[in-house]
Amino acid sequence: MTLLAPLGLIGLIGIIILIIIYIIKPNYQQKLISSTYIWKLSLKYRKKKVPTSKLRNLLIILCQILILTSAAMILAKPAQVLGHKVERREVVAIIDSSASMQSLGDGLTRFERAVDKAQTLADEVLAENGIFSVILADNTPAFLVEKCSTENQSELTEELDNLIDNNVCSYGVSNIEAAFGLCEAILDDNPDTEIFLYTDTHYSYVPNSGKLNVVDVTFEDEWNVAVLDAYTVLEDNFYSLYVDVACYGRERDVTVNVLVSGANFEGEDSTGTEIELSYTVHCSRDGTTKLIFLKEDLYQEVEGANQTTMYYPLSPEEKFFSYKNIYVYIQESDSFTADNSFSIFGGQKEIIKVLYRSAEPNPFFPGVLQNLKTIYKDKWDFWVTEVRPSDKVPPEGYSGYDFYFFEHQMPEKLPKDGIVFLSNPDVAPNGADFRVGAEKNWGGKTKYMTAESETHPILNYLDASRLGITMTKALQFGLDYETLLTCDGVPTLAVCNEDDKKIVVTSFSVHYSTLAISEHISILMYNVFEYFIPATVSSNSFEVQENIALNARSDALYVTRDGYVEDSWEFTQFPATLSVENPGVYVLQQTTFGDKIISEKIYVRIPKEESNIWVTEDALENPYKTIDETNYYNDLLVYLAGALVAILFIEWWLQSRASV
């Protein structure tokens, strides 16, 4: 405990005055009384066995002393000590680790200049026997060193040196607000802590707290030209290429180069051609220009170029309807080269081979397959082969397809290299692991189905209560199957998703069901494809530190940064999430059912805002709070006041008893 106003103890002089009053107080009083009063008083004292008057008087004096003591203590403001102000100088250095801090100027990157300035400040503070902390501010800021003193100065120096030696500066965005949040605990202990923010971001307003210092680490001659974004759009059966180019710090004419690899790819035996394009655009200072490469006939339909949009008409030799990779690049010696190129993938679709064979061909399932071909036109190239009932089955069975559809008449051998859909099977193929029983007929009455699973993906958006049948076959499935739909207790839809077989079985014919005359037939087939052949990624372009959702058709998916074997990941649980720290091309590879190797590529770029190396933000948040003495002391006045009231009551009660 401590006293915030020790001069209040002067009030204890009142105790001395109280004692003096009792000393000089007369011991008797001269009064005229009757003799009968004396006799009554003597009788009263004779009846008392214990002399309580002296004890009561002592208690009254003690209470009065305690009252004066409590009053003096209240004047002195007693308080419980919660913390002590730090007398030594304390500093927190926040080093911005955003991608733009890799901008090079005067032979050093901004990040290197920031680390050097932080090291100089640390030497200065520790030389004064101060305390120094360092926060590395990236997407998830963390303390590099916390509360370092002269005893562990070598550790601080080593950590700062490692930042430069290992090029720790990120390619993402820094969360300065979260970095300030890390300072809260230090500021709670010592509100006088100074904060130094080493950054290349300029702020229109910085709080004038006197303790927050923003250190600019930019170099005046730095500039950056960037390919902010690039993508293709399929227009009139040919691709148009859109490129966003920006220049920061200068106004400059920039030449945009394009290399299209695997252009106009046709079929599995085609390798395509290479197309090279080049166009010079004028970029205003800190402005963005959109460059569009498009067919000549489309060029005739657009309006003329302006300051922000430029057009490049593609000749018949330059236009392309497919591509393996488009590499867009700018050859400039600017300050930041990580955004001078961009790669585009997804222009060469994977071929999905589908075989359809039916003993009673109908337009329903072939029509659905054609609809799926349209739905997946941007993802797959559907090759549908319809086998007539009169065609002979190969002796070794069917093979070479990704998806097999058999209706009514089943093959003797189950294909081993693709997903198999069996509709109204007459017999069970070898290895299918189910048995075909007798027909179940409800006398022409329609019975509606019941869903046995509420979460299975194949049943997404399917209303089982609207799926009616008049006849089906009683199928008995093995343990590898999961029954999804039943009708009157009879299994009607089951699925097997094992390592050695991928099978979907419906026990009824579309001719005896409502499936074919409703939208559910398309929904069912779409769900089957999405379940067994899911998209690996939703796009071919992402940003650094973005959460990338991954899926796979196989048990394992391998992701590798192209050219960097050490940057690799293996995923065995799906869906999965991947977040990468470096820009570049990433290869996603998996071996699907049937030993088919699927290899896809995505491009990860730095965030667009990081290309602007001269960005200005509106205001910087003030991490400091108003200093309050309650941060250090817990006031005890309430307790003393309560005690004072209690003592006053006791003293009053004793006085009242003395007068009885």
mmCIF file of all heavy atoms in Angstrom, residues 467-506:
data_model
loop_
_atom_site.group_PDB
_atom_site.id
_atom_site.type_symbol
_atom_site.label_atom_id
_atom_site.label_comp_id
_atom_site.label_asym_id
_atom_site.label_seq_id
_atom_site.Cartn_x
_atom_site.Cartn_y
_atom_site.Cartn_z
ATOM 1 N N LEU A 467 -39.769 -38.199 -56.592
ATOM 2 C CA LEU A 467 -39.236 -39.241 -57.468
ATOM 3 C C LEU A 467 -40.076 -40.502 -57.292
ATOM 4 O O LEU A 467 -39.964 -41.215 -56.293
ATOM 5 C CB LEU A 467 -37.765 -39.523 -57.138
ATOM 6 C CG LEU A 467 -36.797 -38.356 -57.345
ATOM 7 C CD1 LEU A 467 -35.391 -38.749 -56.917
ATOM 8 C CD2 LEU A 467 -36.796 -37.909 -58.792
ATOM 9 N N GLY A 468 -40.924 -40.760 -58.280
ATOM 10 C CA GLY A 468 -41.802 -41.906 -58.189
ATOM 11 C C GLY A 468 -41.468 -42.980 -59.210
ATOM 12 O O GLY A 468 -40.969 -42.690 -60.304
ATOM 13 N N ILE A 469 -41.728 -44.239 -58.869
ATOM 14 C CA ILE A 469 -41.516 -45.363 -59.777
ATOM 15 C C ILE A 469 -42.694 -46.325 -59.645
ATOM 16 O O ILE A 469 -43.391 -46.357 -58.615
ATOM 17 C CB ILE A 469 -40.191 -46.104 -59.486
ATOM 18 C CG1 ILE A 469 -40.145 -46.599 -58.032
ATOM 19 C CG2 ILE A 469 -38.991 -45.243 -59.797
ATOM 20 C CD1 ILE A 469 -38.919 -47.425 -57.708
ATOM 21 N N THR A 470 -42.921 -47.089 -60.708
ATOM 22 C CA THR A 470 -43.973 -48.118 -60.675
ATOM 23 C C THR A 470 -43.394 -49.521 -60.662
ATOM 24 O O THR A 470 -44.120 -50.482 -60.399
ATOM 25 C CB THR A 470 -44.885 -47.961 -61.908
ATOM 26 O OG1 THR A 470 -44.105 -48.078 -63.100
ATOM 27 C CG2 THR A 470 -45.592 -46.609 -61.892
ATOM 28 N N MET A 471 -42.099 -49.644 -60.939
ATOM 29 C CA MET A 471 -41.473 -50.957 -60.998
ATOM 30 C C MET A 471 -39.976 -50.798 -60.744
ATOM 31 O O MET A 471 -39.368 -49.804 -61.155
ATOM 32 C CB MET A 471 -41.693 -51.587 -62.380
ATOM 33 C CG MET A 471 -41.108 -52.987 -62.544
ATOM 34 S SD MET A 471 -41.256 -53.568 -64.260
ATOM 35 C CE MET A 471 -43.033 -53.454 -64.498
ATOM 36 N N THR A 472 -39.391 -51.745 -60.077
ATOM 37 C CA THR A 472 -37.949 -51.729 -59.827
ATOM 38 C C THR A 472 -37.466 -53.158 -59.639
ATOM 39 O O THR A 472 -38.258 -54.110 -59.660
ATOM 40 C CB THR A 472 -37.616 -50.884 -58.581
ATOM 41 O OG1 THR A 472 -36.205 -50.748 -58.454
ATOM 42 C CG2 THR A 472 -38.168 -51.530 -57.314
ATOM 43 N N LYS A 473 -36.170 -53.296 -59.465
ATOM 44 C CA LYS A 473 -35.561 -54.595 -59.216
ATOM 45 C C LYS A 473 -35.000 -54.618 -57.806
ATOM 46 O O LYS A 473 -34.419 -53.622 -57.343
ATOM 47 C CB LYS A 473 -34.461 -54.886 -60.230
ATOM 48 C CG LYS A 473 -34.988 -55.127 -61.636
ATOM 49 C CD LYS A 473 -33.863 -55.351 -62.620
ATOM 50 C CE LYS A 473 -34.426 -55.587 -64.031
ATOM 51 N NZ LYS A 473 -33.347 -55.696 -65.045
ATOM 52 N N ALA A 474 -35.161 -55.731 -57.161
ATOM 53 C CA ALA A 474 -34.642 -55.881 -55.806
ATOM 54 C C ALA A 474 -33.151 -56.195 -55.884
ATOM 55 O O ALA A 474 -32.754 -57.273 -56.344
ATOM 56 C CB ALA A 474 -35.388 -56.982 -55.071
ATOM 57 N N LEU A 475 -32.340 -55.239 -55.470
ATOM 58 C CA LEU A 475 -30.881 -55.404 -55.497
ATOM 59 C C LEU A 475 -30.368 -55.575 -54.071
ATOM 60 O O LEU A 475 -30.833 -54.904 -53.145
ATOM 61 C CB LEU A 475 -30.210 -54.202 -56.160
ATOM 62 C CG LEU A 475 -30.658 -53.852 -57.584
ATOM 63 C CD1 LEU A 475 -29.843 -52.670 -58.112
ATOM 64 C CD2 LEU A 475 -30.504 -55.043 -58.516
ATOM 65 N N GLN A 476 -29.410 -56.467 -53.946
ATOM 66 C CA GLN A 476 -28.756 -56.676 -52.661
ATOM 67 C C GLN A 476 -27.304 -56.221 -52.788
ATOM 68 O O GLN A 476 -26.532 -56.790 -53.560
ATOM 69 C CB GLN A 476 -28.814 -58.158 -52.260
ATOM 70 C CG GLN A 476 -30.225 -58.668 -52.019
ATOM 71 C CD GLN A 476 -30.248 -60.135 -51.644
ATOM 72 O OE1 GLN A 476 -29.236 -60.830 -51.729
ATOM 73 N NE2 GLN A 476 -31.409 -60.616 -51.214
ATOM 74 N N PHE A 477 -26.963 -55.184 -52.040
ATOM 75 C CA PHE A 477 -25.652 -54.559 -52.171
ATOM 76 C C PHE A 477 -24.690 -55.060 -51.102
ATOM 77 O O PHE A 477 -25.095 -55.388 -49.976
ATOM 78 C CB PHE A 477 -25.777 -53.033 -52.073
ATOM 79 C CG PHE A 477 -26.535 -52.416 -53.221
ATOM 80 C CD1 PHE A 477 -27.872 -52.057 -53.090
ATOM 81 C CD2 PHE A 477 -25.905 -52.207 -54.433
ATOM 82 C CE1 PHE A 477 -28.567 -51.487 -54.140
ATOM 83 C CE2 PHE A 477 -26.594 -51.642 -55.490
ATOM 84 C CZ PHE A 477 -27.924 -51.284 -55.351
ATOM 85 N N GLY A 478 -23.395 -55.074 -51.479
ATOM 86 C CA GLY A 478 -22.348 -55.450 -50.542
ATOM 87 C C GLY A 478 -22.048 -54.347 -49.551
ATOM 88 O O GLY A 478 -22.616 -53.242 -49.603
ATOM 89 N N LEU A 479 -21.126 -54.622 -48.667
ATOM 90 C CA LEU A 479 -20.796 -53.674 -47.608
ATOM 91 C C LEU A 479 -20.126 -52.414 -48.134
ATOM 92 O O LEU A 479 -20.101 -51.386 -47.435
ATOM 93 C CB LEU A 479 -19.886 -54.352 -46.574
ATOM 94 C CG LEU A 479 -20.499 -55.544 -45.826
ATOM 95 C CD1 LEU A 479 -19.467 -56.154 -44.893
ATOM 96 C CD2 LEU A 479 -21.751 -55.132 -45.064
ATOM 97 N N ASP A 480 -19.568 -52.463 -49.345
ATOM 98 C CA ASP A 480 -18.887 -51.290 -49.889
ATOM 99 C C ASP A 480 -19.861 -50.229 -50.391
ATOM 100 O O ASP A 480 -19.444 -49.118 -50.725
ATOM 101 C CB ASP A 480 -17.962 -51.697 -51.046
ATOM 102 C CG ASP A 480 -16.784 -52.538 -50.563
ATOM 103 O OD1 ASP A 480 -16.479 -52.451 -49.355
ATOM 104 O OD2 ASP A 480 -16.185 -53.270 -51.373
ATOM 105 N N TYR A 481 -21.130 -50.567 -50.453
ATOM 106 C CA TYR A 481 -22.123 -49.643 -50.996
ATOM 107 C C TYR A 481 -22.825 -48.875 -49.878
ATOM 108 O O TYR A 481 -23.011 -49.379 -48.767
ATOM 109 C CB TYR A 481 -23.180 -50.389 -51.816
ATOM 110 C CG TYR A 481 -22.703 -50.822 -53.184
ATOM 111 C CD1 TYR A 481 -22.002 -52.015 -53.347
ATOM 112 C CD2 TYR A 481 -22.952 -50.045 -54.301
ATOM 113 C CE1 TYR A 481 -21.561 -52.427 -54.601
ATOM 114 C CE2 TYR A 481 -22.518 -50.451 -55.568
ATOM 115 C CZ TYR A 481 -21.820 -51.638 -55.705
ATOM 116 O OH TYR A 481 -21.384 -52.032 -56.946
ATOM 117 N N GLU A 482 -23.244 -47.674 -50.222
ATOM 118 C CA GLU A 482 -24.084 -46.866 -49.341
ATOM 119 C C GLU A 482 -25.405 -46.620 -50.061
ATOM 120 O O GLU A 482 -25.429 -46.067 -51.163
ATOM 121 C CB GLU A 482 -23.413 -45.538 -49.001
ATOM 122 C CG GLU A 482 -24.267 -44.659 -48.090
ATOM 123 C CD GLU A 482 -23.601 -43.326 -47.767
ATOM 124 O OE1 GLU A 482 -22.486 -43.092 -48.251
ATOM 125 O OE2 GLU A 482 -24.210 -42.524 -47.036
ATOM 126 N N THR A 483 -26.488 -47.042 -49.445
ATOM 127 C CA THR A 483 -27.814 -46.848 -50.035
ATOM 128 C C THR A 483 -28.271 -45.416 -49.785
ATOM 129 O O THR A 483 -28.332 -44.961 -48.633
ATOM 130 C CB THR A 483 -28.822 -47.837 -49.436
ATOM 131 O OG1 THR A 483 -28.382 -49.170 -49.700
ATOM 132 C CG2 THR A 483 -30.197 -47.634 -50.047
ATOM 133 N N LEU A 484 -28.606 -44.708 -50.860
ATOM 134 C CA LEU A 484 -28.999 -43.309 -50.761
ATOM 135 C C LEU A 484 -30.504 -43.116 -50.870
ATOM 136 O O LEU A 484 -31.068 -42.246 -50.212
ATOM 137 C CB LEU A 484 -28.293 -42.477 -51.841
ATOM 138 C CG LEU A 484 -26.758 -42.549 -51.858
ATOM 139 C CD1 LEU A 484 -26.204 -41.631 -52.935
ATOM 140 C CD2 LEU A 484 -26.183 -42.179 -50.505
ATOM 141 N N LEU A 485 -31.163 -43.916 -51.738
ATOM 142 C CA LEU A 485 -32.610 -43.796 -51.922
ATOM 143 C C LEU A 485 -33.249 -45.180 -51.798
ATOM 144 O O LEU A 485 -32.669 -46.183 -52.225
ATOM 145 C CB LEU A 485 -32.952 -43.195 -53.289
ATOM 146 C CG LEU A 485 -32.559 -41.739 -53.564
ATOM 147 C CD1 LEU A 485 -32.913 -41.362 -54.998
ATOM 148 C CD2 LEU A 485 -33.231 -40.784 -52.580
ATOM 149 N N THR A 486 -34.430 -45.215 -51.224
ATOM 150 C CA THR A 486 -35.225 -46.445 -51.170
ATOM 151 C C THR A 486 -36.658 -46.120 -51.573
ATOM 152 O O THR A 486 -37.087 -44.956 -51.520
ATOM 153 C CB THR A 486 -35.218 -47.052 -49.759
ATOM 154 O OG1 THR A 486 -35.765 -46.100 -48.834
ATOM 155 C CG2 THR A 486 -33.823 -47.438 -49.321
ATOM 156 N N CYS A 487 -37.387 -47.162 -51.971
ATOM 157 C CA CYS A 487 -38.807 -47.017 -52.300
ATOM 158 C C CYS A 487 -39.558 -48.193 -51.683
ATOM 159 O O CYS A 487 -39.308 -49.356 -52.068
ATOM 160 C CB CYS A 487 -39.007 -46.967 -53.821
ATOM 161 S SG CYS A 487 -40.699 -46.610 -54.314
ATOM 162 N N ASP A 488 -40.388 -47.897 -50.729
ATOM 163 C CA ASP A 488 -41.128 -48.938 -50.026
ATOM 164 C C ASP A 488 -40.172 -49.964 -49.413
ATOM 165 O O ASP A 488 -40.422 -51.170 -49.432
ATOM 166 C CB ASP A 488 -42.113 -49.613 -50.983
ATOM 167 C CG ASP A 488 -43.215 -50.360 -50.232
ATOM 168 O OD1 ASP A 488 -43.448 -50.038 -49.044
ATOM 169 O OD2 ASP A 488 -43.809 -51.283 -50.816
ATOM 170 N N GLY A 489 -39.020 -49.463 -48.917
ATOM 171 C CA GLY A 489 -38.028 -50.323 -48.276
ATOM 172 C C GLY A 489 -37.062 -50.991 -49.223
ATOM 173 O O GLY A 489 -36.125 -51.663 -48.783
ATOM 174 N N VAL A 490 -37.252 -50.824 -50.555
ATOM 175 C CA VAL A 490 -36.369 -51.450 -51.542
ATOM 176 C C VAL A 490 -35.312 -50.437 -51.979
ATOM 177 O O VAL A 490 -35.654 -49.316 -52.368
ATOM 178 C CB VAL A 490 -37.174 -51.937 -52.767
ATOM 179 C CG1 VAL A 490 -36.241 -52.570 -53.793
ATOM 180 C CG2 VAL A 490 -38.249 -52.926 -52.331
ATOM 181 N N PRO A 491 -34.003 -50.776 -51.932
ATOM 182 C CA PRO A 491 -32.964 -49.841 -52.381
ATOM 183 C C PRO A 491 -33.138 -49.487 -53.856
ATOM 184 O O PRO A 491 -33.327 -50.366 -54.698
ATOM 185 C CB PRO A 491 -31.661 -50.616 -52.151
ATOM 186 C CG PRO A 491 -32.005 -51.644 -51.133
ATOM 187 C CD PRO A 491 -33.434 -52.018 -51.394
ATOM 188 N N THR A 492 -33.087 -48.186 -54.178
ATOM 189 C CA THR A 492 -33.240 -47.737 -55.569
ATOM 190 C C THR A 492 -32.022 -46.970 -56.077
ATOM 191 O O THR A 492 -31.844 -46.839 -57.290
ATOM 192 C CB THR A 492 -34.487 -46.852 -55.705
ATOM 193 O OG1 THR A 492 -34.427 -45.796 -54.729
ATOM 194 C CG2 THR A 492 -35.753 -47.667 -55.492
ATOM 195 N N LEU A 493 -31.207 -46.439 -55.178
ATOM 196 C CA LEU A 493 -29.991 -45.735 -55.588
ATOM 197 C C LEU A 493 -28.917 -46.013 -54.544
ATOM 198 O O LEU A 493 -29.120 -45.787 -53.349
ATOM 199 C CB LEU A 493 -30.228 -44.225 -55.699
ATOM 200 C CG LEU A 493 -28.989 -43.359 -55.971
ATOM 201 C CD1 LEU A 493 -28.366 -43.708 -57.326
ATOM 202 C CD2 LEU A 493 -29.325 -41.874 -55.916
ATOM 203 N N ALA A 494 -27.781 -46.521 -55.024
ATOM 204 C CA ALA A 494 -26.660 -46.827 -54.128
ATOM 205 C C ALA A 494 -25.368 -46.394 -54.796
ATOM 206 O O ALA A 494 -25.274 -46.323 -56.032
ATOM 207 C CB ALA A 494 -26.618 -48.311 -53.784
ATOM 208 N N VAL A 495 -24.363 -46.126 -53.979
ATOM 209 C CA VAL A 495 -23.079 -45.660 -54.496
ATOM 210 C C VAL A 495 -21.952 -46.394 -53.784
ATOM 211 O O VAL A 495 -22.035 -46.694 -52.584
ATOM 212 C CB VAL A 495 -22.936 -44.130 -54.318
ATOM 213 C CG1 VAL A 495 -23.006 -43.754 -52.843
ATOM 214 C CG2 VAL A 495 -21.636 -43.626 -54.919
ATOM 215 N N CYS A 496 -20.914 -46.703 -54.550
ATOM 216 C CA CYS A 496 -19.694 -47.315 -54.014
ATOM 217 C C CYS A 496 -18.516 -46.431 -54.387
ATOM 218 O O CYS A 496 -18.280 -46.166 -55.576
ATOM 219 C CB CYS A 496 -19.516 -48.719 -54.584
ATOM 220 S SG CYS A 496 -17.949 -49.511 -54.105
ATOM 221 N N ASN A 497 -17.792 -45.975 -53.392
ATOM 222 C CA ASN A 497 -16.643 -45.103 -53.635
ATOM 223 C C ASN A 497 -15.429 -45.682 -52.921
ATOM 224 O O ASN A 497 -14.998 -45.202 -51.879
ATOM 225 C CB ASN A 497 -16.939 -43.687 -53.146
ATOM 226 C CG ASN A 497 -15.841 -42.705 -53.523
ATOM 227 O OD1 ASN A 497 -14.953 -43.018 -54.316
ATOM 228 N ND2 ASN A 497 -15.895 -41.509 -52.968
ATOM 229 N N GLU A 498 -14.873 -46.738 -53.501
ATOM 230 C CA GLU A 498 -13.700 -47.403 -52.948
ATOM 231 C C GLU A 498 -12.499 -47.163 -53.855
ATOM 232 O O GLU A 498 -12.627 -46.649 -54.977
ATOM 233 C CB GLU A 498 -13.962 -48.905 -52.812
ATOM 234 C CG GLU A 498 -15.073 -49.249 -51.826
ATOM 235 C CD GLU A 498 -14.720 -48.854 -50.404
ATOM 236 O OE1 GLU A 498 -13.556 -49.059 -50.000
ATOM 237 O OE2 GLU A 498 -15.602 -48.340 -49.690
ATOM 238 N N ASP A 499 -11.317 -47.530 -53.342
ATOM 239 C CA ASP A 499 -10.099 -47.300 -54.113
ATOM 240 C C ASP A 499 -10.109 -48.043 -55.443
ATOM 241 O O ASP A 499 -9.565 -47.556 -56.434
ATOM 242 C CB ASP A 499 -8.872 -47.729 -53.300
ATOM 243 C CG ASP A 499 -8.666 -46.846 -52.078
ATOM 244 O OD1 ASP A 499 -9.199 -45.720 -52.068
ATOM 245 O OD2 ASP A 499 -7.991 -47.294 -51.138
ATOM 246 N N ASP A 500 -10.725 -49.237 -55.476
ATOM 247 C CA ASP A 500 -10.658 -50.054 -56.685
ATOM 248 C C ASP A 500 -11.932 -50.014 -57.519
ATOM 249 O O ASP A 500 -11.999 -50.625 -58.586
ATOM 250 C CB ASP A 500 -10.336 -51.508 -56.326
ATOM 251 C CG ASP A 500 -11.365 -52.085 -55.358
ATOM 252 O OD1 ASP A 500 -12.095 -51.295 -54.728
ATOM 253 O OD2 ASP A 500 -11.427 -53.317 -55.230
ATOM 254 N N LYS A 501 -12.959 -49.306 -57.057
ATOM 255 C CA LYS A 501 -14.181 -49.198 -57.863
ATOM 256 C C LYS A 501 -14.985 -47.975 -57.451
ATOM 257 O O LYS A 501 -15.137 -47.672 -56.264
ATOM 258 C CB LYS A 501 -15.028 -50.460 -57.775
ATOM 259 C CG LYS A 501 -15.360 -50.961 -56.387
ATOM 260 C CD LYS A 501 -16.195 -52.238 -56.475
ATOM 261 C CE LYS A 501 -16.509 -52.828 -55.110
ATOM 262 N NZ LYS A 501 -15.335 -53.447 -54.499
ATOM 263 N N LYS A 502 -15.508 -47.308 -58.480
ATOM 264 C CA LYS A 502 -16.361 -46.133 -58.314
ATOM 265 C C LYS A 502 -17.647 -46.422 -59.090
ATOM 266 O O LYS A 502 -17.655 -46.382 -60.325
ATOM 267 C CB LYS A 502 -15.691 -44.879 -58.872
ATOM 268 C CG LYS A 502 -14.234 -44.684 -58.468
ATOM 269 C CD LYS A 502 -14.092 -44.204 -57.042
ATOM 270 C CE LYS A 502 -12.629 -43.936 -56.692
ATOM 271 N NZ LYS A 502 -12.445 -43.468 -55.316
ATOM 272 N N ILE A 503 -18.728 -46.715 -58.379
ATOM 273 C CA ILE A 503 -19.939 -47.204 -59.031
ATOM 274 C C ILE A 503 -21.164 -46.475 -58.480
ATOM 275 O O ILE A 503 -21.265 -46.226 -57.268
ATOM 276 C CB ILE A 503 -20.123 -48.723 -58.816
ATOM 277 C CG1 ILE A 503 -18.857 -49.488 -59.230
ATOM 278 C CG2 ILE A 503 -21.321 -49.243 -59.602
ATOM 279 C CD1 ILE A 503 -18.913 -50.963 -58.881
ATOM 280 N N VAL A 504 -22.090 -46.152 -59.400
ATOM 281 C CA VAL A 504 -23.411 -45.661 -59.036
ATOM 282 C C VAL A 504 -24.423 -46.606 -59.666
ATOM 283 O O VAL A 504 -24.328 -46.936 -60.854
ATOM 284 C CB VAL A 504 -23.647 -44.223 -59.533
ATOM 285 C CG1 VAL A 504 -25.057 -43.761 -59.162
ATOM 286 C CG2 VAL A 504 -22.613 -43.279 -58.951
ATOM 287 N N VAL A 505 -25.410 -47.069 -58.878
ATOM 288 C CA VAL A 505 -26.402 -48.033 -59.364
ATOM 289 C C VAL A 505 -27.797 -47.495 -59.085
ATOM 290 O O VAL A 505 -28.101 -47.101 -57.950
ATOM 291 C CB VAL A 505 -26.223 -49.409 -58.694
ATOM 292 C CG1 VAL A 505 -27.232 -50.410 -59.280
ATOM 293 C CG2 VAL A 505 -24.809 -49.920 -58.862
ATOM 294 N N THR A 506 -28.658 -47.480 -60.135
ATOM 295 C CA THR A 506 -30.085 -47.225 -59.960
ATOM 296 C C THR A 506 -30.822 -48.509 -60.353
ATOM 297 O O THR A 506 -30.539 -49.106 -61.398
ATOM 298 C CB THR A 506 -30.565 -46.056 -60.836
ATOM 299 O OG1 THR A 506 -30.273 -46.324 -62.198
ATOM 300 C CG2 THR A 506 -29.889 -44.762 -60.418
#
